[in-house]
Amino acid sequence: MECSFALTGKDYVIIAADTTAARSIVKMKVDEDKIKTLSPHLLMAYSGESGDTIQFAEFIERNIRLYHIRNLYPLRPQSAASWIRRSLAESLRSRSPYTVNLLIGGFDTADESPHLYWVDYLGTMASVPFAAHGYGSYFALGLLDRYHNPDGSLEEGLDVLRRAINETAQRLVVAPGNYIVKVVDKDGTREIKL
Amino acid sequence: MVLTFCPPKGRTTIFSPEGRLYQIEYAMEAISHAGTVLGVLATDGVVLAAEKKVTGKLLDLSEAKEGRYGGSGEKIFLLNSNVIGGVAGITADANSLVNYARSAAQQHLLRYNEDIPVELLAQRLCDLKQGYTQFGGLRPFGVSLLYAGYDPHYQFQLYHSDPSGNYSGWKATCIGANNGTAQSLLKQEYKDDITVEEAIGLVMRTMSKTMDSTTLGSEKLEFAVLTVDPVTKEPRAKIYRPAEIDALLVKHDLAKKDEDAEMKAT
C-alpha cells in the first residue's frame, strides 16, 4: 500500500515515496514517480485515489508554474503550501472532492530555511519536522521521534529514512518494494539513490 | 432573431487622429496640479511625504490631530502592513483605489498566508486602472500613486503608477505639483547608499523647496516611514502624527518660525 515519508535536517528536506501504481490487489507498475517538482525549490509527494492524485498534482504544478512566470520569482514554500491546502479545502466541500494526501517540502531562498508541511485530503495542514502518510506512518513515526535530528547532515537524514523504510518493509504485510527519494536544499531539487 | 443596436458608450477612451488618448493625458494634467507626494528609497527603509492641499482655519481637524489608524489625513494611507501608499489627484478616486488596494492585499493574505509582494499590489491596481483606459463609457482614475513597501523577495521598494496603468520602480521620485523641480533636486542629492535618517532629511529639504508656502508645518505636511523591525524582521510602517511631524521639522531646522519672537530678539 502507498507510503510516503519526509524529514527536514540542516538546510534540506528529504521526501521519499513508494513507486507502486496499484489497482485493487494488482500491481500495475513499479516505477511510478509520485513526487513532483513544483518550482526550483519545492517538492510535493502525493498519494490517495489514483485518478485524483495525478489530476490534482498537475493542477497544482501548472498553477505554481503560472505564478512563477507571472511574477518572475516562485511562491515561497509557506505560501505555496497555504495555497495548496486551500485548494484541497475548497475541493472538499465541492460536488466531487479530491482524495489526495500530500507532503510538501521546500527550501525558502529568502531566509535560507527548509520547510515541510503535512497535508491531508480534509485540508488539514501542519508544519512539521518530519512526516509520513499511509500505513508506513504507523511504523515510521515512532522511529522518526526517536532518531530525527533537525540539525543533522544529509547523510544522517538519509540514515533515519533508511531505518523507517526498512522497518516498514519488515513489519507491514503490504509493504511497497521500491521508493523514490528526492532532496531539496539551497541548490534546488534532485533525486537520490538510497 | 432581433438584433439590437448597441451605441458605443461614451468616447472617453478612443484614440484621437494623432494617436493619443486625451482623457488619459487630461487625467495626468489634473494630477500635476495636485499636492506634491515625494518618496525616497533608502538602504534600510523607505520615506514618503505629502503636501496637504485642503487646509484652512475653519477646517475641523480634531480627528486628524491624533492621527487615525491607517493614516491621519488625505494623502498617505496604510495599504497593508508592509505597504504605505501616497496618492496625488482626485481625492474621491484615490479613496476608491485605496479601498481596492487594501482589499486586494487582504485577498492575497487569505490565499497565500503572506503579505502581498509590493510589485504585485502595484500590478493589481494597474490592472484596474488600465481597464478604464479601454472599456467603454467611464473616465479613468485621476490618480497617481506612490507605493513604499517591503517584501522578502526584493526588500525595500518604491513604485509609481499613473492613470494609464503604467508602473515603474524608483530610487526617488515625486508626483503632483512641481514634480519636475523636486525630481531634479532629488537627482542632485540622492546617493545609492543613503540611510533612512539621511532620506528623511532629503525629503524634508526637498518638500520645503517645492511647496508653495514658505513655512512648513504639520497642517500642510504628511509624513511616513517604512522600516523593518530589527528584532522580528517584520516590516514596520509608521505614519507620523501631526505633533511628531512638527518635532521632525524642528529637528531639521525647517519649522515655522515665530516672527514676533524674532522681532523682539533683534
Side-chain angles (χ1 to χ4, degrees):
Chain A
M1 294 290 265
E2 282 190 314
C3 293
S4 46
F5 310 108
L7 60 119
T8 60
K10 186 160 178 50
D11 302 330
Y12 66 83
V13 183
I14 307 173
I15 298 190
D18 73 278
T19 54
T20 349
R23 186 173 179 225
S24 180
I25 56 162
V26 183
K27 274 186 199 167
M28 307 301 282
K29 192 180 180 212
V30 288
D31 57 353
E32 173 89 339
D33 182 0
K34 291 186 267 193
I35 307 176
K36 266 203 189 306
T37 302
L38 299 181
S39 65
H41 294 90
L42 193 64
L43 291 171
M44 180 174 84
Y46 49 91
S47 55
E49 200 67 47
S50 50
D52 287 6
T53 52
I54 296 168
Q55 190 78 0
F56 184 75
E58 284 182 352
F59 166 78
I60 295 298
E61 185 184 29
R62 291 299 109 209
N63 274 284
I64 299 275
R65 180 84 184 107
L66 178 63
Y67 187 99
H68 191 165
I69 291 166
R70 276 189 175 157
N71 297 291
L72 304 179
Y73 48 81
L75 273 172
R76 300 169 75 190
Q78 45 282 54
S79 314
S82 297
W83 180 77
I84 295 168
R85 188 211 72 85
R86 174 163 288 275
S87 303
L88 266 182
E90 278 169 5
S91 147
L92 183 71
R93 302 295 174 199
S94 74
R95 189 184 270 269
S96 53
Y98 287 115
T99 316
V100 182
N101 299 314
L102 309 166
L103 296 174
I104 302 163
F107 187 82
D108 188 355
T109 46
D111 67 0
E112 305 268 303
S113 59
H115 295 271
L116 173 63
Y117 298 90
W118 181 92
V119 181
D120 75 1
Y121 74 102
L122 294 168
T124 319
M125 182 167 87
S127 171
V128 286
F130 51 81
H133 272 302
Y135 284 123
S137 67
Y138 299 118
F139 305 96
L141 286 175
L143 284 167
L144 286 162
D145 270 330
R146 175 66 184 79
Y147 293 108
H148 176 254
N149 176 9
D151 296 317
S153 66
L154 181 60
E155 211 31 65
E156 200 177 337
L158 288 171
D159 281 340
V160 179
L161 177 66
R162 275 189 208 105
R163 270 181 194 276
I165 288 175
N166 291 341
E167 182 70 11
T168 307
Q170 192 173 347
R171 291 290 175 182
L172 181 63
V173 176
V174 282
N178 241 324
Y179 288 88
I180 191 164
V181 183
K182 289 187 186 178
V183 173
V184 55
D185 58 14
K186 64 176 190 340
D187 304 320
T189 67
R190 64 185 181 279
E191 193 184 330
I192 281 188
K193 288 272 171 282
L194 259 190
Chain B
M1 200 167 104
V2 185
L3 289 172
T4 43
F5 173 69
C6 297
K9 281 187 181 168
R11 24 180 301 135
T12 49
T13 48
I14 54 170
F15 282 104
S16 74
E18 306 94 76
R20 294 158 61 175
L21 294 167
Y22 278 120
Q23 288 302 316
I24 303 295
E25 290 181 25
Y26 296 157
M28 296 202 198
E29 183 59 28
I31 289 159
S32 66
H33 297 298
T36 315
V37 184
L38 204 147
V40 171
L41 183 68
T43 49
D44 50 350
V46 201
V47 184
L48 221 55
E51 175 191 6
K52 274 200 239 186
K53 278 279 186 182
V54 188
T55 52
K57 261 192 171 157
L58 294 177
L59 191 69
D60 184 0
L61 291 167
S62 54
E63 222 178 331
K65 264 279 182 294
E66 284 300 306
R68 277 169 297 171
Y69 177 76
S72 59
E74 53 173 77
K75 290 251 146 56
I76 292 182
F77 299 90
L78 189 69
L79 300 183
N80 197 29
S81 58
N82 65 328
V83 191
I84 309 171
V87 300
I90 301 169
T91 312
D93 286 12
N95 285 335
S96 160
L97 280 179
V98 166
N99 197 17
Y100 183 86
R102 286 174 173 167
S103 141
Q106 290 304 307
Q107 271 170 33
H108 186 95
L109 183 65
L110 181 66
R111 279 184 88 157
Y112 301 108
N113 192 27
E114 69 169 8
D115 280 335
I116 189 167
V118 190
E119 188 174 358
L120 193 56
L121 182 63
Q123 282 173 357
R124 286 278 173 286
L125 271 109
C126 284
D127 287 348
L128 181 76
K129 288 193 192 192
Q130 191 278 338
Y132 285 90
T133 69
Q134 207 172 23
F135 300 110
L138 301 162
R139 66 170 174 83
F141 284 100
V143 185
S144 268
L145 285 111
L146 291 188
Y147 312 81
Y150 174 88
D151 65 52
H153 300 286
Y154 298 129
Q155 275 73 42
F156 293 106
Q157 293 151 79
L158 176 67
Y159 291 98
H160 163 236
S161 73
D162 70 15
S164 70
N166 270 328
Y167 76 94
S168 43
W170 294 84
K171 292 174 180 172
T173 191
C174 175
I175 50 176
N178 294 324
N179 67 75
T181 328
Q183 261 170 31
S184 59
L185 279 169
L186 290 170
K187 213 181 283 176
Q188 278 169 25
E189 292 210 33
Y190 187 84
K191 302 192 303 287
D192 272 332
D193 56 351
I194 197 168
T195 63
V196 161
E197 279 307 312
E198 292 168 329
I200 291 173
L202 172 59
V203 166
M204 284 291 181
R205 283 197 305 281
T206 317
M207 280 309 265
S208 76
K209 281 177 193 161
T210 47
M211 274 164 65
D212 296 333
S213 51
T214 47
T215 53
L216 277 176
S218 60
E219 74 282 350
K220 290 283 277 178
L221 197 67
E222 282 183 52
F223 199 80
V225 174
L226 187 94
T227 49
V228 161
D229 190 302
V231 182
T232 62
K233 307 287 177 205
E234 291 296 311
R236 187 169 57 188
K238 180 172 169 59
I239 297 175
Y240 282 60
R241 295 171 196 281
E244 294 171 318
I245 293 174
D246 283 327
L248 206 60
L249 286 166
V250 171
K251 189 179 155 195
H252 288 274
D253 209 18
L254 294 163
K256 206 186 302 185
K257 297 212 172 62
D258 193 338
E259 282 173 26
D260 286 346
E262 261 179 36
M263 292 278 275
K264 275 171 204 158
T266 48

